[in-house]
């Protein structure tokens, strides 16, 4: 962990270039673009949540379907792969028992961890995805506490690349590493993400999207977190 200022300097000095090359491609221009992207995200975190915070970085990719489109929620077999477009977050713990997530271009999602009950009146709100992931992880018996996060994503909404699954898996991975030493099984994170989308968001999706995202998230996260 490092302060937001220290993290930005480390990125600018090339300290994360190896991780960026692994995630996005090793050519110089791609790595340089990711340096700019991550530093810009941290700048926005500081604007929303203040400077001097101890922070970590997280990433969860979108996915593409190779076969089995829409059969995963009908007990069918599927084949999918993660892609090099992802949702990323810079995150800091708080002592408020509240999760605050500000995503680029969207309003702040605020979830009081004392209220983790689904409500049909709120279906379709991204705040319910945050609430559902927190509830699912808590139900598994893991630690769930407050954090402040700024996220940005190049997994385009409505593109069929599972931007919502990337967001859900990102949140689950944050809680796994921030408060549970990375001990939450990635399959459980995927199931929690699906549960959040089914029960809290109100969308009857299968597990293809979340499993494709979490498989590569688990492999790459320790490199950049």
């Amino acid at each position: 962990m490092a302060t937001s200022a220290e993290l930005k300097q480390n990125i600018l000095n090339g300290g994360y270039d190896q991780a960026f090359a692994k995630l996005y491609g090793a050519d110089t221009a791609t790595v340089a673009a990711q340096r700019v992207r991550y530093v810009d995200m941290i700048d926005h975190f500081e604007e929303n949540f203040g400077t001097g915070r101890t922070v970590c970085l997280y990433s969860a990719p979108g996915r593409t379907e190779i076969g089995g489109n829409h059969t995963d929620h009908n007990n069918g077999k599927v084949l999918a792969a993660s892609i090099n477009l992802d949702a990323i977050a810079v995150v800091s713990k708080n002592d408020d028992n509240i999760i605050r997530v500000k995503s680029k271009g969207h309003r702040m999602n605020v979830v009081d961890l004392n209220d983790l009950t689904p409500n049909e009146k709120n279906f379709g709100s991204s705040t319910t995805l945050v609430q559902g992931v927190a509830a699912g992880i808590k139900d598994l018996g893991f630690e769930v506490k407050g954090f402040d996060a700024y996220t940005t994503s190049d997994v385009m909404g409505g593109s069929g690349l599972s931007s919502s699954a990337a967001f859900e898996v990102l949140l689950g991975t944050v809680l796994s590493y921030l408060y549970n030493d990375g001990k939450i099984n990635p399959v459980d994170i995927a199931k929690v993400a699906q549960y959040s989308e089914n029960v809290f968001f109100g969308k009857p999706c299968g597990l293809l999207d979340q499993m494709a995202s979490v498989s590569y998230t688990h492999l790459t996260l320790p490199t950049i977190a």
Side-chain angles (χ1 to χ4, degrees):
M1 288 189 176
T3 67
S4 55
E6 290 169 340
L7 184 57
K8 283 193 290 185
Q9 193 59 53
N10 193 9
I11 291 170
L12 291 171
N13 288 342
Y16 282 74
D17 284 2
Q18 185 176 355
F20 294 157
K22 182 178 181 181
L23 286 170
Y24 307 109
D27 61 282
T28 302
T30 296
V31 171
Q34 292 302 325
R35 284 195 217 112
V36 172
R37 180 185 180 217
Y38 276 75
V39 168
D40 180 70
M41 176 179 66
I42 299 169
D43 284 340
H44 281 91
F45 174 90
E46 291 177 332
E47 290 172 6
N48 283 273
F49 301 113
T51 58
R53 302 279 297 271
T54 299
V55 297
C56 290
L57 297 175
Y58 299 87
S59 163
R63 66 97 189 100
T64 185
E65 296 170 358
I66 299 171
N69 186 22
H70 291 301
T71 64
D72 56 319
H73 46 86
N74 293 297
N75 299 314
K77 295 182 179 181
V78 298
L79 183 63
S82 58
I83 58 176
N84 64 349
L85 302 175
D86 62 351
I88 59 175
V90 55
V91 182
S92 181
K93 294 180 179 179
N94 69 48
D95 297 321
D96 303 331
N97 209 38
I98 291 173
I99 295 176
R100 303 179 186 90
V101 180
K102 178 68 174 73
S103 297
K104 184 176 181 179
H106 300 276
R107 65 181 179 83
M108 184 89 72
N109 302 131
V110 180
V111 170
D112 185 338
L113 295 176
N114 294 310
D115 179 16
L116 295 178
T117 304
N119 185 338
E120 290 186 10
K121 293 180 180 179
N122 298 324
F123 278 4
S125 165
S126 57
T127 299
T128 64
L129 295 177
V130 182
Q131 187 184 35
V133 169
I137 288 178
K138 185 176 182 180
D139 288 346
L140 290 176
F142 290 100
E143 195 78 47
V144 174
K145 295 182 180 179
F147 63 82
D148 298 321
Y150 187 91
T151 81
T152 185
S153 179
D154 54 14
V155 185
M156 298 78 70
S159 64
L161 300 176
S162 297
S163 58
S164 59
F167 181 66
E168 297 151 13
V169 167
L170 183 69
L171 296 170
T173 305
V174 167
L175 285 169
S176 178
Y177 281 85
L178 199 62
Y179 287 115
N180 297 283
D181 299 320
K183 293 179 180 178
I184 305 178
N185 187 294
V187 174
D188 286 334
I189 291 176
K191 289 179 178 179
V192 163
Q194 181 198 23
Y195 165 78
S196 175
E197 195 156 340
N198 291 171
V199 177
F200 283 76
F201 189 78
K203 180 182 177 181
C205 70
L207 196 56
L208 179 153
D209 300 350
Q210 292 83 1
M211 281 297 296
S213 180
V214 81
S215 60
Y216 201 67
T217 299
H218 183 66
L219 289 172
T220 59
L221 178 66
T223 306
I224 63 171

